[in-house]
Amino acid sequence: MKQNEFEKSMSAAAFAEAGEHDTAKEMMTNNESQKSNKQSLKEKKPYGKMVIFGAISLSAYIALLANQEWVTETFTKGGINTVWPIGAAFFFSFIHGAFASNFLSVLGIEAKK
Amino acid sequence: MKRLLFLILGILIVLPTTTALAGGPPPKDLLKGKFIEIQEESRTATFIKDGAESSMTLTFGEAMTADDITLNKKVMVSLDKHAGEGVIKDVSVMFMDMTIMRIGALLLIGLIGGLLSGFIGSGGAFVLTPAMMSLGAPGAIAVASNMCHKFPKAMVGAYKRYKYGQADVKLGLVMAVTAILGVQIGIKMQKFILNSYGNAGSNLYVSVVFVLVLVLVGGYVFYDAYKSTKEDGEPKTSKLALRMQKIELWPMMEFKVAKVRISAWITIPVGLFTGMLAATIAVGGFVGVPGMIYVVGASAMVASATELIVAFIMGCWGSIQWGISGLIDIRMTLLILAGSLIGVQLGALGTTYVKDHVIKTVMASVMLIVAVSRGAKIPGYLADLGLSSQLQPQMASFLNSVSFWALIAALGTAGIIITAAMIKGMVQAKAEAAMQEVAPNV
C-alpha cells in the first residue's frame, strides 16, 4: 500500500506517542532513504560526457603532435596569424576543460554544497 | 555608477591601440627564419627570413662558431647592433623536440601550477617560465607560451569560482583595466632604469623590488592568517579597509559579491599598483590579491577568485601581442594546459572546503619561498654591477641551484597544503552528511 508523506508522518507520530520510538524512527528513515536513493539516481556520474569530451580532446592532442611541423610553422607566422594560437587555446580550454570537469565528477570530487 | 562601467568598457576597447603586457612587450630586434647554408671561410651564413622570398647574409658574432648554427630549422636570431650591420649576437632554435620526458614534465608542472592558480588566484607563472627554459625553450618563447596558457586556464577557473558565488565580476573588470594602465607606467619605469643602468642594473632593480614586496606582503599575509587561526577562523575586514570604506569621495562604487562600497579613488590606485608591479616582477597577482583583501576589504575567498578574472583579461591581451610577434609555441602551451585545466578546477573546488585563512596561508608560503628563490640571485647581479667582488664559480652555481629548487619547493609546499586541506574538508563534509542522514532532524 502506498502512503503519502502526510499519512506517513502522522502514523509515525502515533507510534511515537504510543512509546514505540524505534518503529516511528524506522518509518521516517525509510522515507529519507527512499529520497536519497532518488537523489543518487538523479546525480548519476557523467561517464558518457567524460568519454566523449575525453575522446575529442585526446584526438585533438594527437592531431596537434602528429602535425607539429605544420602547426608550429603556421601558428608563428605572426600578424593576423595570432588568431591561430589564441583560437586553439580557447578551443582546447572548452573541450579539455569540459573533460576535466566531468573527469573530476566521475572521481567523485565535487564542490561543497 | 553605470556611467563608470561604460567608461571602463570604453577604456578596454581603446586599449588595443597601446601595448600593455605583464612581463614586458615582445622583443623587437629579432629575426625569425631558417639558415640554409654556412660559409665557414668567410664566417657568414645564408638566412631566409620568415615571409621573405630572397635570402640575406649574416655574419657570425665574435665568439660564434659554425656549430652554433642549425640548418633548416626555424630559429630566432638576435642581432648585435653595436658590432655592425647583420652581425649575429645569438641564435636559438625556436621549437625544441617534444620527447616523452618533456611532455610528462609539462603535464605535471601544468597540473600543480593550475592547482595553485585555482586556489589562490595567481601563481604558476613564476615557475612555469623558468621550467620551460630549463627544458630547452628560448626565453621569449617561454614567456609567450606561458602567457597563452594563462588566460584560458584563468577563464575556466574564474567561471568555476563564479559559479560558487566567489568571483566579483565588476571588481575584476575595474582591477583589470586599471592594472593594464599600470603596466604601461611600469614598462616606462623599466625602460628608464634599463637606459640609465643597463641590463645588470635592471635585473638588480627587478630582484630587489621582487624580494622586498614578496617578503613584506607575504610576511603580513602570513601573520594575518596565523592571527585568524588563533581566533575563530572567521575572516575579518582589515582596519585599513574599514577606514578606506568610510571615505565618501565621488564616484562611489559598489561591489555586490565582495560586499564592499568604496570610492573609485581607492580602487583605482590598487589596480594601477598591481599593473606596475606586474610589469616589473611579472606576478601582479601577489600584489593584487592582498590589495583587494587589505585595502579594498574583500575576503581572501572573493579576492583570489576575482584575481582570476583579472588574469584572464590581462593574459588574453598579452597573448594577442606575443602572438602577433609569432613567438607562441602552441605545443608547449597546450600541453601545460592539459594538466592545468584539471588542476585549476580542482583548486577552485578546493576553496569551497576551506576557510579564508587557509587560502592566506598558502599564498603567504608561496610568496616567501619564491622570495628566497629570487633573493639568491641578488649577489650575482651586485657583482655584475661592480658593487661587490665577483662570485666564486662554485658559489654562483650553488646560488643558482638554491634559486631553482626554491621554486620547486614553493610549488610542492603549496600542492601539499592545498591537497591536505581539501581532503580534510571533504572528510569533514562527508561525516557531517552522514550525521544528517542518521538523525535528519538534528
Side-chain angles (χ1 to χ4, degrees):
Chain A
M1 198 174 76
K2 245 186 174 179
Q3 281 179 307
N4 65 24
E5 286 297 291
F6 179 68
E7 278 170 344
K8 218 172 207 176
S9 343
M10 286 314 282
S11 36
F15 274 104
E17 271 174 60
E20 298 272 344
H21 301 290
D22 288 342
T23 322
K25 238 183 210 166
E26 210 178 277
M27 292 185 92
M28 293 308 286
T29 44
N30 253 345
N31 197 5
E32 285 296 319
S33 69
Q34 263 174 12
K35 241 192 220 166
S36 62
N37 258 346
K38 257 187 210 162
Q39 251 176 11
S40 66
L41 269 181
K42 240 189 255 169
E43 285 171 18
K44 222 176 139 192
K45 289 185 171 173
Y47 286 104
K49 276 189 187 166
M50 182 191 81
V51 171
I52 293 171
F53 282 114
I56 302 177
S57 172
L58 189 67
S59 27
Y61 271 105
I62 291 172
L64 168 82
L65 291 175
N67 301 301
Q68 37 181 309
E69 291 243 327
W70 178 83
V71 170
T72 46
E73 185 67 41
T74 318
F75 282 35
T76 51
K77 276 190 180 149
I80 189 69
N81 283 294
T82 186
V83 295
W84 285 103
I86 305 288
F90 270 114
F91 173 76
F92 275 82
S93 71
F94 284 121
I95 296 299
H96 190 69
F99 159 72
S101 174
N102 289 309
F103 174 62
L104 290 176
S105 299
V106 166
L107 288 182
I109 307 173
E110 301 258 16
K112 192 176 177 183
K113 284 172 190 120
Chain B
M1 187 48 56
K2 273 196 185 138
R3 234 181 294 162
L4 203 69
L5 265 181
F6 277 124
L7 185 70
I8 291 168
L9 284 176
I11 296 175
L12 258 184
I13 294 164
V14 174
L15 272 173
T17 54
T18 63
T19 46
L21 300 158
K28 281 195 181 115
D29 39 7
L30 270 183
L31 288 179
K32 286 187 300 157
K34 282 177 185 163
F35 282 105
I36 49 167
E37 210 183 346
I38 300 174
Q39 297 88 28
E40 262 187 78
E41 309 83 55
S42 56
R43 289 178 57 78
T44 54
T46 316
F47 181 77
I48 298 184
K49 205 176 142 190
D50 256 8
E53 304 254 315
S54 56
S55 60
M56 58 204 280
T57 309
L58 298 175
T59 316
F60 290 4
E62 259 180 41
M64 275 182 72
T65 61
D67 295 339
D68 294 329
I69 289 179
T70 321
L71 288 180
N72 297 320
K73 262 203 165 181
K74 197 155 173 175
V75 290
M76 267 182 344
V77 181
S78 57
L79 296 176
D80 193 350
K81 291 255 160 89
H82 302 291
E85 198 65 31
V87 177
I88 306 168
K89 188 177 175 187
D90 184 44
V91 178
S92 42
V93 176
M94 279 179 78
F95 305 111
M96 55 187 184
D97 294 325
M98 277 295 164
T99 55
I100 295 288
M101 211 201 81
R102 279 179 179 150
I103 293 177
L106 288 171
L107 290 176
L108 184 71
I109 307 168
L111 181 72
I112 307 177
L115 185 68
L116 196 60
S117 216
F119 201 80
I120 64 173
S122 70
F126 62 85
V127 72
L128 283 172
T129 313
M132 280 190 253
M133 284 165 73
S134 63
L135 284 177
I141 299 273
V143 173
S145 311
N146 175 39
M147 196 173 288
C148 189
H149 114 277
K150 187 173 101 172
F151 82 87
K153 172 183 80 175
M155 179 181 73
V156 170
Y159 169 70
K160 281 276 157 174
R161 297 195 62 175
Y162 174 74
K163 274 209 332 206
Y164 303 149
Q166 300 170 342
D168 195 312
V169 178
K170 191 168 146 193
L171 181 60
L173 273 176
V174 173
M175 285 287 293
V177 172
T178 46
I180 288 178
L181 289 175
V183 168
Q184 304 282 343
I185 304 171
I187 289 176
K188 291 253 154 67
M189 272 170 63
Q190 283 273 69
K191 277 196 181 144
F192 172 75
I193 288 166
L194 189 67
N195 289 338
S196 320
Y197 302 99
N199 219 355
S202 168
N203 280 341
L204 181 67
Y205 162 74
V206 169
S207 299
V208 169
V209 173
F210 200 101
V211 173
L212 268 183
V213 168
L214 259 55
V215 167
L216 289 178
V217 180
Y220 183 74
V221 177
F222 206 83
Y223 163 74
D224 183 48
Y226 176 73
K227 214 172 57 181
S228 59
T229 339
K230 282 247 150 177
E231 290 160 9
D232 49 8
E234 289 303 316
K236 278 199 192 104
T237 312
S238 77
K239 278 187 197 135
L240 177 66
L242 287 177
R243 219 173 297 153
M244 292 296 161
Q245 287 167 14
K246 279 198 190 118
I247 301 173
E248 291 275 334
L249 204 58
W250 183 90
M252 293 299 284
M253 305 186 93
E254 197 167 348
F255 302 111
K256 293 211 172 103
V257 180
K259 297 196 194 91
V260 170
R261 187 172 174 273
I262 195 164
S263 167
W265 295 102
I266 311 295
T267 327
I268 289 171
V270 175
L272 281 178
F273 203 61
T274 306
M276 277 168 64
L277 278 158
T280 314
I281 61 175
V283 274
F286 283 166
V287 190
V289 178
M292 281 189 265
I293 300 175
Y294 300 111
V295 184
V296 177
S299 65
M301 197 78 86
V302 172
S304 57
T306 304
E307 177 61 29
L308 285 168
I309 300 176
V310 180
F312 166 59
I313 297 174
M314 291 181 73
C316 192
W317 179 234
S319 303
I320 293 175
Q321 299 290 320
W322 286 90
I324 288 173
S325 305
L327 292 171
I328 299 170
D329 182 349
I330 197 74
R331 302 167 309 159
M332 276 207 292
T333 298
L334 294 178
L335 284 170
I336 300 173
L337 204 55
S340 78
L341 283 179
I342 299 177
V344 77
Q345 300 196 46
L346 200 58
L349 69 85
T351 59
T352 62
Y353 288 98
V354 300
K355 290 216 163 119
D356 232 51
H357 65 83
V358 182
I359 298 179
K360 286 181 188 163
T361 311
V362 172
M363 191 161 62
S365 322
V366 172
M367 286 170 83
L368 292 174
I369 307 175
V370 173
V372 172
S373 156
R374 201 57 183 237
K377 295 220 159 179
I378 290 183
Y381 296 142
L382 278 175
D384 286 348
L385 269 181
L387 293 174
S388 70
S389 54
Q390 280 298 325
L391 294 177
Q392 299 288 331
Q394 291 116 318
M395 188 63 184
S397 85
F398 169 72
L399 286 177
N400 261 338
S401 55
V402 166
S403 171
F404 178 75
W405 286 106
L407 286 179
I408 303 290
L411 264 197
T413 315
I416 292 169
I417 306 178
I418 296 172
T419 317
M422 209 151 66
I423 292 174
K424 198 177 138 203
M426 281 181 185
V427 170
Q428 217 167 8
K430 267 205 179 139
E432 274 168 25
M435 282 282 282
Q436 289 234 320
E437 231 168 77
V438 174
N441 298 328
V442 178

